[in-house]
Amino acid sequence: MVWHVTGTVIRDSGRVYRQEHLKHAQDLAVWLPEFLIEALRRHAGGDWGSLSGPVLPHPAHGGYTDRVNIAGQWDRALKGSGIEWVRPHALRKTVATLLVRESGVSAGAAQLGNSEAILAKHYVAHDPVAPDSTAILEVLSP
């Protein structure tokens, strides 16, 4: 399923609202895997094919939820799980790293809505070990 991202939620002077454009003022359309679509459907309580409100509504009033509130909900959900160290941003980095390794930098940048330079700088985990290039380097052997 293609998911259209047409705005973002921001907090300004304590007020949380939907900004009608993304950070870079362009809409984003991304393919979501079936397991994520099913999780979103369960979260929404059924069919949300025409969803136009918040994807993650605030639990108290149903309005928009910003990063601060999501972080608090995240902490409570993971308490005692043994994976409390996992942060929402880590999931974004995981997606970026997987897509870059499997499909290339352009695929990762497109999915996250970032430039390739921003993706490489902030999101892709770098291997601590260089790729095995010994066969190539053997040509330098005396």
Side-chain angles (χ1 to χ4, degrees):
M1 172 181 213
V2 175
W3 185 270
H4 295 272
V5 182
T6 60
T8 187
V9 175
I10 62 171
R11 176 185 291 261
D12 185 25
S13 302
R15 189 173 142 248
V16 177
Y17 62 96
R18 182 181 189 277
Q19 179 175 274
E20 296 297 322
H21 59 84
L22 300 177
K23 188 175 182 180
H24 301 291
Q26 62 187 27
D27 292 350
L28 177 65
V30 296
W31 283 92
L32 296 182
E34 190 61 33
F35 76 88
L36 182 54
I37 292 167
E38 287 306 315
L40 289 170
R41 278 192 181 116
R42 282 192 307 273
H43 180 74
D47 182 26
W48 48 264
S50 61
L51 180 66
S52 60
V55 175
L56 300 171
H58 192 281
H61 55 72
Y64 292 107
T65 305
D66 73 337
R67 293 184 304 187
V68 173
N69 292 326
I70 289 173
Q73 293 170 12
W74 185 268
D75 290 342
R76 288 187 294 280
L78 292 186
K79 188 174 184 175
S81 68
I83 58 168
E84 293 88 350
W85 58 270
V86 175
R87 308 304 306 153
H89 194 72
L91 300 177
R92 186 170 170 88
K93 289 180 82 165
T94 300
V95 166
T97 300
L98 177 64
L99 288 174
V100 166
R101 289 187 179 158
E102 296 296 321
S103 298
V105 175
S106 62
Q111 185 76 20
L112 270 62
N114 288 112
S115 69
E116 292 182 11
I118 293 295
L119 182 84
K121 182 176 180 181
H122 296 288
Y123 293 104
V124 178
H126 299 284
D127 260 326
V129 178
D132 182 0
S133 301
T134 53
I136 296 167
L137 297 173
E138 281 298 325
V139 300
L140 301 173
S141 176

